[in-house]
Amino acid sequence: MREASVNRGIISNLSAGSVLIGVNLAAIPVSILIAGASDYGAWAVSYGLITLLVQTDLGLASGLVRQLAHARHKDGAEEEGRLATAGLLLFIALAVTLGLLSLFVLPIYYSMAVDPIPHELAQQMTLTAAASVVVGLAGRYYIAIAQSYGQFGTERLAAVIGQIARLAILLVAVAASGNIFVVLIADLIGLTLLPLVLAPILYIRRYLSRPRIADRALGDSGRSLVRFSIPTFISSFSTLGAIQAPLYIVGAILGFSQAAGFSAIMRLYQSARTMTGWITGPSLPAASKASARSDREALRSLHWDSLSTSYLFALVIAAPLPFVAQKVLTLWLGEGFSDQSMALMLVGLTILINSVYAPGVVVATGAGRPGIVAGNNVIVLVLTVALSWLGATLAGVTGGAAGLLLGTALVFPFSQVRTTRVTGLKMTRVYLLLAPLTAISLVPGWVLSFTPLDRAPTVSVAASYGLTGIIICALALLLRRRAKAWVLKTP
């Protein structure tokens, strides 16, 4: 029953998530067309700060999901209500604080960048970014409530509505000869619609009740939530800081025009990480319940299910890139960005590493070990900043992407050892299975590169991704049960 519930959550996430990511990625070239590469590059850096501040959220969202699921299983409705209220108050305080911080940080960054931007535009971007942080954190609170109840499909539906509205505004702006201001408004509306759609649904379905502001035990619940969330925050802030750092560095050193193309590549990376999160997310409450029962076998099974699914999806994204990266960038962003193809390939490798590493962190967090790799992630952040700065200085955008890859890869083995100690999954068998699957996934792109189809960019990209996806899906269906039994087999 537990496995069926988790699988339904994964399928729901991936169905709506694929639409969400597709709309998100489609909006990038439209935004560049409207705003121009330099102005869009400046906004992309600003949006990177929004993403960093919203998604780290002091670890409150992950903590709230876990603690609510735990309270529902062990402590009852009273504690569950107190936790939901404490989370709401903490999110409000955080939104105000980080919104004000955005107003302070962004003008400093704009003044340090190689490409100066007009004062009026800088003000518009700063104010929009601050407002986006506030509504983004509101969305994170309601997302956490939805996820704690397993309402992943509802959450994704709200996000899809917001992003479709954003894309519609952008497409109208193309016809009406809009400018960067329209891009700012469209992005803000896309974020705002998520909590506006999701909150009423949660109240109607009675997943949310009136806040228990006067509850005397509210402070204890809030402190419990913060104690659990802070280690997660250290880990997630370091991880997301490492993701955003190369973009900030490229914008500062190489200029916002280069940052425009690189931001699209990094948005693809973030989308892939988001997809991994959607695959692993349903495991968080399930891992919490398994931990409460001291069920180590269930934790090991959850870890494998999440890891195998996320890696196969990552393969679909990354495996064709060595053969079609330049064509992908040309078709997606235009000829002017095709010289960043090596950066795209390096980011593809980073996507694969993350898909193996992230599931263990989520399961370990659900098992009551938040921030288990927090120290390692701080090292990743420091390495990524240093290596991306050096790489961007020496090799441009490719060097910035190399810094991201190396910072992640150097620490990855040590982080994985820590998570598998909690979940019990034996990685030797995992790698023995994933290695041939990886090799097979490279075959379609390699074979097609020797055919006449390679000279037709659209057909070549479509065929490479189509065949790779079909082969990986077929292998997953054929090997699903046997592979799991073999990997989880104990001596």
Side-chain angles (χ1 to χ4, degrees):
M1 191 72 178
R2 169 194 57 78
E3 184 174 351
S5 176
V6 171
N7 288 339
R8 282 196 300 270
I10 291 174
I11 292 169
S12 174
N13 282 351
L14 292 178
S15 299
S18 298
V19 176
L20 182 60
I21 287 175
V23 171
N24 220 329
L25 296 179
I28 295 174
V30 180
S31 297
I32 294 175
L33 178 63
I34 294 169
S38 182
D39 285 352
Y40 177 76
W43 174 239
V45 172
S46 306
Y47 204 85
L49 177 66
I50 297 167
T51 302
L52 176 63
L53 295 178
V54 169
Q55 292 192 6
T56 52
D57 64 26
L58 280 183
L60 289 174
S62 295
L64 194 56
V65 172
R66 194 268 177 186
Q67 295 292 77
L68 284 173
H70 192 78
R72 201 171 296 131
H73 184 66
K74 297 196 77 172
D75 302 322
E78 289 292 322
E79 176 61 13
E80 183 184 347
R82 284 192 290 268
L83 281 168
T85 301
L88 175 62
L89 296 176
L90 287 167
F91 265 101
I92 291 172
L94 186 64
V96 172
T97 302
L98 295 184
L100 293 174
L101 180 64
S102 304
L103 295 175
F104 174 74
V105 171
L106 281 173
I108 296 175
Y109 178 82
Y110 293 144
S111 67
M112 295 170 57
V114 173
D115 291 342
I117 58 176
H119 178 70
E120 183 180 357
L121 178 57
Q123 283 186 324
Q124 291 174 350
M125 289 184 178
T126 301
L127 291 173
T128 306
S132 298
V133 168
V134 172
V135 298
L137 285 168
R140 289 286 286 178
Y141 170 73
Y142 292 113
I143 285 171
I145 298 295
Q147 288 187 352
S148 74
Y149 281 99
Q151 295 297 302
F152 299 97
T154 304
E155 169 215 334
R156 300 294 171 246
L157 175 63
V160 167
I161 290 171
Q163 291 308 309
I164 288 178
R166 172 192 171 212
L167 182 58
I169 294 170
L170 292 173
L171 292 174
V172 170
V174 172
S177 301
N179 55 25
I180 181 63
F181 184 70
V182 179
V183 175
L184 304 184
I185 296 301
D187 286 357
L188 178 58
I189 290 174
L191 286 173
T192 304
L193 282 174
L194 191 152
L196 289 180
V197 172
L198 186 57
I201 294 175
L202 294 176
Y203 276 109
I204 290 170
R205 294 181 179 178
R206 298 186 178 180
Y207 294 128
L208 276 175
S209 57
R210 290 182 179 180
R212 300 168 179 262
I213 303 296
D215 196 314
R216 293 182 178 180
L218 186 62
D220 292 335
S221 299
R223 283 187 287 273
S224 170
L225 178 59
V226 170
R227 279 196 300 270
F228 187 89
S229 300
I230 290 298
T232 305
F233 161 70
I234 295 171
S235 179
S236 61
F237 180 84
S238 300
T239 299
L240 288 165
I243 294 171
Q244 299 296 340
L247 176 58
Y248 302 150
I249 290 168
V250 166
I253 294 178
L254 304 176
F256 292 131
S257 293
Q258 289 291 310
F262 190 55
S263 73
I265 294 173
M266 294 305 294
R267 189 70 68 91
L268 175 64
Y269 177 51
Q270 291 162 22
S271 297
R273 286 181 59 92
T274 300
M275 187 74 83
T276 298
W278 291 339
I279 292 169
T280 58
S283 299
L284 187 60
S288 178
K289 293 175 183 177
S291 176
R293 300 192 308 267
S294 300
D295 190 346
R296 192 80 182 280
E297 183 180 346
L299 289 177
R300 192 163 61 247
S301 177
L302 284 167
H303 189 176
W304 164 250
D305 289 343
S306 296
L307 187 155
S308 58
T309 307
S310 64
Y311 187 76
L312 291 175
F313 269 90
L315 269 182
V316 174
I317 295 170
L321 289 178
F323 313 102
V324 297
Q326 191 171 28
K327 299 182 183 71
V328 167
L329 287 175
T330 300
L331 293 171
W332 182 23
L333 303 177
E335 289 282 354
F337 299 97
S338 61
D339 59 343
Q340 297 187 13
S341 58
M342 181 57 71
L344 179 57
M345 283 186 272
L346 294 175
V347 167
L349 288 174
T350 314
I351 289 172
L352 289 177
I353 293 173
N354 178 72
S355 70
V356 175
Y357 154 71
V361 177
V362 173
V363 176
T365 298
R369 297 291 301 277
I372 188 172
V373 292
N376 291 19
N377 286 345
V378 172
I379 297 172
V380 171
L381 173 59
V382 173
L383 283 174
T384 301
V385 170
L387 293 171
S388 294
W389 192 282
L390 178 63
T393 303
L394 297 176
V397 171
T398 299
L404 173 69
L405 172 62
L406 290 172
T408 303
L410 290 172
V411 184
F412 159 70
F414 304 99
S415 299
Q416 189 167 81
V417 167
R418 290 194 170 190
T419 57
T420 52
R421 283 176 182 168
V422 176
T423 66
L425 185 64
K426 302 299 181 183
M427 294 305 298
T428 302
R429 290 197 173 196
V430 171
Y431 287 125
L432 286 174
L433 184 62
L434 296 186
L437 289 177
T438 304
I440 292 170
S441 71
L442 294 170
V443 171
W446 178 71
V447 171
L448 287 169
S449 67
F450 293 101
T451 68
L453 293 177
D454 189 57
R455 293 192 290 272
T458 304
V459 176
S460 176
V461 170
S464 293
Y465 276 99
L467 289 174
T468 301
I470 290 170
I471 289 174
I472 289 175
C473 288
L475 288 172
L477 291 173
L478 288 172
L479 299 176
R480 182 169 176 263
R481 295 189 181 279
R482 291 183 180 180
K484 182 174 181 176
W486 182 73
V487 169
L488 299 182
K489 183 179 179 181
T490 54

